[in-house]
Structure formats: C-alpha cells, structure tokens
Amino acid sequence: MTSTKKTAISRRSTLGLLGGAALAPAVLPGLSGFAQAQSSAPIKIGFQLHRTGIGAAYGRWYERTSNAAVARINDMGGINGRTVELVIEDDGTDPKRGAEVVEKFATQHECDIGFGTLFSHVVYGSAPRAGELKLPYFVCSEGHHVASGALNRYVLQPGITDVKSQVQAMAPFVADNLGKKVTMIFPDFAFGHDHRDFFSEAIEAQGGEVVAKIAIPPTETSFTKYFPQIPRETEVIYHVMVGPAVLTFVKEMGEFFGPSRPEIFGFIDSLEAVDLSSPGLEFLEGTYFWEGNPRYAQADQSDHDKAYRAAIGIDDNGASLDDSADVSTYAHMFSCWETLNVIKRGMETADYQGPADRVKLIEAIEDMTDMAHSDDHPQGAKLFNGKTHQVFGHQYISQVEEGRLNVKHTTAIEDGFYEDEVDYTAQSF
C-alpha cells in the first residue's frame, strides 16, 4: 500500500473551479449560509444516526461516544477556534431515509460535513447523494464499499478497518488453530456478503475451504431452522450476525449443538451490546471472537484506553458506569471517536473556514498516513491510504474464558494490507 502526495498546483487548480462559490452560493448546496467565512459560527457536523431500526443498539452507543468526543474537542478549544456541533438525524437504518438525511444535512441544516453511518446498505444508499451534493461524508462502517471504488471521492472511512482487511488478517489464526473446513453464517446484505466473499478467499489462501454458506435475513427472529444446514464435516463455524435478535441467535446455536460442537469463531457483532453472563451463553466458553476493540480492559491496558473509557463513562467490562447491565458496542464505536479526531486534524491542516473549503479538507485527509496510538486513537495505531480513503489497523482475536473476553492474538497492521482497487485522488471533485 502506498500513499500519494499531491502538489499545491493540483489543489489550486481544483479550488479554481470553485473560486466563484463565495459569490454565487447556489453553485454548491449548503453554501447559502456561508457566503463569508464565519469564524465564530460552530462547525456543524451532520450525524447520520441509526437511532431506530436494526442498527439501534449501535446507534445509541455511537451517539454517546460521539457526544463524548465532541465534548473533548470543544474542551480543547474546538476546531480552528470554533466549537463543534453535532446535528443529529435518525435514518432508521434505512437506505432511502439515509439519502434523505444526507440531503437535509446539505440543504436544510447547512452542515459542513456528514458523519457516522454504520450499516453498509445505508452507506450504499446515502453515499451517491453525498457525492452529488459535494458533502464530505465520513462513514464509520466496516464494509469494503469505500476501498472497492464503488463510491466517490467525497466518501472516506478513516476511523475503522474494513471486512476485507479484517478477515485477511485473521484467517491464518483460524486455519492454524481451529480448523480448515468452515461453515459460514452471515446476514444477507452487503456487510454479510463482504464476509462471505473475502473470508472464503482468505481461508482458501490458507489451504482451507468454506463447506457451506448460510445467509440469514437481517430481520430474522428465530434461527433453529438454519442450523441443520451445517454439514457434518464442518470443523469451524464462522458466525457474524447483527440486529436485535443476536442474543436469540447465539442461544439457539448453543441449544442446537449441546455439549458437542465444532470449534466456533465469531465476529463480536453477534454479541455486541449483549452481556456475556446472559443465561444460555455458557456454551460460548472457550470459543473465539474478532473484536475491533477489546470490550474488557486487558492486563496490558493502555492509558489511552483508560482515558477513552472514562470520557464515555464505561467500566472495565465494557458496560455503562451507570448500569452494569448496559453493555456497549465497544468493538465498533471507537470509530466515531477516532473519525471525529481525524476530521479535526484534517480541518486544522486545511485551515477549514466553511463549505468552500470542503475540497481542501478532503485533500488534507488524503495526505494523511500514520495515525499514532494516542488519546485521539485509543484503539491502536493506524495507517491511512489516501488513494482508497481506507484506514488499516490492528485486529484482536479474543477467547471467552470464565465469562469474559481475553485477547489471545493481535494482528500486525500489515497483515490486513491488500492491493489498491481504486485511486480516488485521480477522480475530479
């Protein structure tokens, strides 16, 4: 993976195309309230939130994490001396509503940028409109949609790795430690299809094979009928489920297998916001999970993770300090915290003053590479690829031991590298 440094000439020529924007606000949607740079006005970040729908459990914690991140940024003086304000709209975890929310950010709320989307089908439904409206759109998803080149230059994913990188980094552990004949159980939409396609490739590269692929509608509420489809030759069950019925899924899987089961490797998506001590989850003892960020504070916990937990109000078990039964979506929500800090860094580098500087903002972020492990990036160090608008970082493989998740393996950043599939920097604005 390489990064591309662009010259000042390319920036000036690009900005020259927008030079009349301040004189003619209608040229770009959302400019009407910013004909002149308004150094005292808040920087308005449109927060596209899954407050309802199948992503609601994530949305609640994405909101809590983002509010904490913005409070920290404002406590440090804001961005370029201006406070930051989140403008929240619920997209219902629905692609059509997602596009409508993006429209509202640009034309009604006059937001500087859009931010926050998690579920990949909503990203796909929203990103084209962001490009049309020339609204920088920072997604906190895991889909391969950005790095695949399927979207546009206004869409960036600088705060969390994508599924292709994740499974490529972890397939060697699965093949070497758990088995090579794998049955996959995944949600039947874009995010699940990324797992299906990229893990199949990754395990085959390790000499393994996927012997069955079981796609489940993301709104399914009962799963017992799917388990008989698992072939007897299966050595490893690979599961990644999402939505409000995840606890039901895991419980029913345990009831189906009883004391005799294959090895199990899950993505923590199947148990995000679920207490591991919930009745019926005892069979998970000894099984493995991918975690984007370890839910339980580890023996080698960094000061950055301690500060991050304290800012949001989360205990060492990944639950709310106010309610130990209120378990967070810890493996994913760091993406909001880290993305907002990338936005801050980008705006400060670009000397961002308003929507007329959106191109400068995107180019400033495209020029980024190293992101050090820090209070800004508590999940770990990262490397951003400006060509593909995708960040690369560490992955964590944890095992359930005595009712908690203990990290057993941390991948290297380079374990998740793959060949570039797009160069957004070569696209026009």
Side-chain angles (χ1 to χ4, degrees), residues 93-133:
T93 327
D94 176 79
K96 182 176 182 294
R97 281 180 61 180
E100 293 168 354
V101 164
V102 169
E103 176 97 27
K104 289 181 73 173
F105 288 154
T107 61
Q108 179 177 323
H109 298 302
E110 295 185 327
C111 292
D112 293 88
I113 62 173
F115 155 81
T117 325
L118 168 62
F119 275 59
S120 55
H121 63 310
V122 183
V123 174
Y124 269 118
S126 306
R129 193 68 187 118
E132 292 166 357
L133 293 164

Side-chain angles (χ1 to χ4, degrees), residues 54-217:
I54 62 171
Y58 290 90
R60 188 165 63 86
W61 282 99
Y62 268 42
E63 183 174 2
R64 183 164 170 172
T65 303
S66 298
N67 283 334
V70 167
R72 174 176 175 264
I73 289 170
N74 286 334
D75 285 346
M76 294 189 299
I79 297 176
N80 293 331
R82 297 164 60 187
T83 59
V84 176
E85 175 188 338
L86 290 178
V87 178
I88 299 176
E89 288 281 353
D90 176 22
D91 63 15
T93 327
D94 176 79
K96 182 176 182 294
R97 281 180 61 180
E100 293 168 354
V101 164
V102 169
E103 176 97 27
K104 289 181 73 173
F105 288 154
T107 61
Q108 179 177 323
H109 298 302
E110 295 185 327
C111 292
D112 293 88
I113 62 173
F115 155 81
T117 325
L118 168 62
F119 275 59
S120 55
H121 63 310
V122 183
V123 174
Y124 269 118
S126 306
R129 193 68 187 118
E132 292 166 357
L133 293 164
K134 302 189 183 300
L135 182 77
Y137 184 54
F138 294 83
V139 298
C140 300
S141 181
E142 297 170 282
H144 185 56
H145 30 53
V146 178
S148 70
L151 305 181
N152 58 74
R153 195 171 180 179
Y154 281 87
V155 186
L156 305 95
Q157 187 160 260
I160 192 168
T161 59
D162 67 336
V163 169
K164 183 173 183 177
S165 179
Q166 293 165 4
V167 300
Q168 179 178 299
M170 291 180 300
F173 181 93
V174 174
D176 293 343
N177 296 280
L178 304 181
K180 295 187 176 181
K181 292 184 181 295
V182 182
T183 287
M184 299 187 68
I185 304 175
F186 55 89
D188 195 10
F189 68 102
F191 169 71
H193 301 164
D194 276 354
H195 277 271
R196 175 197 65 196
D197 298 341
F198 298 128
F199 183 77
S200 295
E201 294 176 3
I203 199 70
E204 288 170 6
Q206 301 301 315
E209 64 174 320
V210 175
V211 296
K213 302 173 183 178
I214 303 174
I216 297 180

Side-chain angles (χ1 to χ4, degrees), residues 368-388:
M368 292 183 185
T369 51
D370 294 328
M371 298 176 181
H373 190 198
S374 62
D375 286 352
D376 287 351
H377 299 282
Q379 184 264 358
K382 295 176 180 62
L383 187 64
F384 186 67
N385 184 341
K387 287 184 176 181
T388 65

Side-chain angles (χ1 to χ4, degrees), residues 200-409:
S200 295
E201 294 176 3
I203 199 70
E204 288 170 6
Q206 301 301 315
E209 64 174 320
V210 175
V211 296
K213 302 173 183 178
I214 303 174
I216 297 180
T219 55
E220 185 64 88
T221 57
S222 181
F223 308 89
T224 304
K225 63 185 177 183
Y226 295 97
F227 297 124
Q229 300 176 32
I230 300 172
R232 291 182 179 271
E233 62 186 307
T234 299
E235 297 172 346
V236 186
I237 293 175
Y238 176 112
H239 64 92
V240 51
M241 292 301 297
V242 296
V246 290
L247 179 58
T248 302
F249 166 77
V250 179
K251 282 184 174 180
E252 290 182 355
M253 184 165 59
E255 292 168 357
F256 178 82
F257 283 109
S260 176
R261 61 166 175 79
E263 294 285 356
I264 296 178
F265 182 89
F267 264 56
I268 200 62
D269 306 56
S270 298
L271 281 178
E272 279 285 61
V274 173
D275 190 339
L276 287 183
S277 65
S278 300
L281 299 187
E282 296 83 3
F283 87 100
L284 287 173
E285 185 73 14
T287 69
Y288 293 86
F289 283 92
W290 164 88
E291 293 191 277
N293 200 20
R295 177 189 297 184
Y296 292 82
Q298 302 296 303
D300 61 350
Q301 181 190 25
S302 70
D303 290 339
H304 309 306
D305 185 67
K306 290 179 183 177
Y308 169 71
R309 288 177 190 260
I312 301 170
I314 295 175
D315 66 19
D316 286 350
N317 295 324
S320 172
L321 288 171
D322 300 325
D323 180 0
S324 61
D326 187 7
V327 178
S328 70
T329 57
Y330 205 78
H332 295 83
M333 66 196 202
F334 71 90
S335 60
C336 295
W337 179 281
E338 298 205 12
T339 301
L340 285 164
N341 285 307
V342 171
I343 291 167
K344 177 180 185 292
R345 176 179 163 188
M347 285 186 168
E348 290 173 348
T349 300
D351 190 26
Y352 182 89
Q353 298 299 315
D357 293 331
R358 285 171 175 168
V359 168
K360 288 171 62 179
L361 168 62
I362 292 173
E363 290 190 317
I365 293 175
E366 287 174 342
D367 276 344
M368 292 183 185
T369 51
D370 294 328
M371 298 176 181
H373 190 198
S374 62
D375 286 352
D376 287 351
H377 299 282
Q379 184 264 358
K382 295 176 180 62
L383 187 64
F384 186 67
N385 184 341
K387 287 184 176 181
T388 65
H389 287 193
Q390 177 62 57
V391 80
F392 292 81
H394 300 288
Q395 313 300 333
Y396 300 93
I397 297 176
S398 300
Q399 187 177 25
V400 181
E401 295 178 321
E402 298 182 354
R404 61 168 281 144
L405 288 157
N406 295 321
V407 175
K408 297 298 180 181
H409 179 65

Side-chain angles (χ1 to χ4, degrees), residues 26-45:
V27 172
L28 289 180
L31 276 178
S32 58
F34 293 90
Q36 302 294 326
Q38 300 194 12
S39 59
S40 62
I43 289 175
K44 296 169 71 173
I45 296 178

